[in-house]
Amino acid sequence: MPRASDMLIEQIKNEIFSGLLKPGDQLEEAELSKRFGVSRTPIREAIRSMVDGGFLETRPRKGAIVRVLSAKELNDLFEVAAELEGMAARLASESLTLSHKKSIQEGLQQCMDAAAKEDPTAYAAANLVFHAAIHRAAGNEWLIDQLERLQARINVYRLLPYEVVGRLEKSVEEHQQIAAAIFNKDGATANTLMRDHIMLQGARLPSLLKALE
């Protein structure tokens, strides 16, 4: 049986990745104990493990909070993500199957539907579906593994730009252009468009985080 602290770690991670918990949000032991129906001991173990893993941090008088990355850390992460995502788009264009094309189109449609409803939370989920479809189409398991590890760090931040007025519509346009390049088997263009798409997300974050302080 999984330990209570391990199950808590997975649940808290899921809340971070889904955007339910945002950078700077406080995790109170009493509230977690009541919500998950466990004692404070596994909660403290889970928090300590997630602090060690870089998902949470502790601050005086606030306790544990969802870690807020510095502008330098964010830029570094998004630079790496942009290169790997661009590579995935290029590889996807080179080895595209009908099944993969259908999955990318479905992810794109979900993004379009969420943007039409002006629903940032739904768009964030659809965005992950779209990108995951491209990752699978790339067909490189090592690349997929590295992208999954990166997403565990940056997904919580990818929600923030969607709160900017007009960003959902612009993101959909970028997704449409990326998908078109992949479907046209234009790997170089797909790579460039994807890299620019990811870097634009990262470039907006420092100012957005400052506004949330």
Side-chain angles (χ1 to χ4, degrees):
M1 290 289 292
R3 294 187 310 158
S5 59
D6 293 333
M7 291 188 290
L8 276 170
I9 289 170
E10 288 307 308
Q11 292 181 64
I12 294 171
K13 280 184 180 179
N14 287 337
E15 292 188 2
I16 292 174
F17 299 159
S18 69
L20 188 61
L21 286 172
K22 295 179 172 59
D25 280 356
Q26 185 175 0
L27 280 76
E28 297 184 356
E29 291 183 9
E31 191 274 334
L32 291 173
S33 177
K34 181 179 179 180
R35 182 150 63 94
F36 293 117
V38 296
S39 69
R40 294 198 182 192
T41 298
I43 289 171
R44 288 168 181 163
E45 290 176 357
I47 288 174
R48 186 161 50 247
S49 176
M50 294 188 73
V51 168
D52 291 341
F55 294 98
L56 304 178
E57 62 181 293
T58 56
R59 291 186 178 178
R61 296 183 297 281
K62 290 195 71 173
I65 65 170
V66 179
R67 188 175 176 218
V68 179
L69 298 181
S70 68
K72 175 67 165 59
E73 289 173 317
L74 280 171
N75 184 68
D76 289 350
L77 272 176
F78 273 84
E79 276 187 347
V80 175
E83 292 297 329
L84 294 185
E85 290 275 9
M87 179 181 177
R90 176 178 62 79
L91 291 177
S93 74
E94 296 171 357
S95 58
L96 189 69
T97 66
L98 288 175
S99 175
H100 288 145
K101 182 177 181 179
K102 182 179 178 181
S103 295
I104 294 171
Q105 288 173 324
E106 289 173 350
L108 179 58
Q109 187 60 53
Q110 289 183 36
C111 289
M112 294 168 64
D113 293 343
K117 296 175 183 175
E118 297 186 346
D119 187 339
T121 302
Y123 191 88
N127 179 64
L128 294 180
V129 172
F130 176 74
H131 283 274
I134 294 174
H135 300 168
R136 290 193 299 272
N140 186 313
E141 294 302 321
W142 289 99
L143 176 60
I144 292 172
D145 178 69
Q146 292 304 310
L147 283 166
E148 287 178 348
R149 291 172 183 269
L150 267 176
Q151 289 198 26
R153 300 291 183 184
I154 68 174
N155 278 351
V156 63
Y157 292 93
R158 294 174 87 161
L159 276 168
L160 298 180
Y162 301 144
E163 299 292 340
V164 176
V165 174
R167 179 55 196 157
L168 294 185
E169 292 78 5
K170 186 65 172 65
S171 183
V172 166
E173 291 177 12
E174 293 165 7
H175 282 179
Q176 290 171 327
Q177 293 167 359
I178 292 165
I182 291 173
F183 298 161
N184 290 331
K185 294 190 174 295
D186 186 349
T189 299
N191 188 348
T192 298
L193 289 172
M194 181 64 87
R195 286 176 64 250
D196 290 347
H197 172 66
I198 299 299
M199 286 306 297
L200 180 58
Q201 279 187 313
R204 291 176 176 271
L205 288 171
S207 59
L208 290 173
L209 288 172
K210 188 172 183 60
L212 292 174
E213 290 178 354

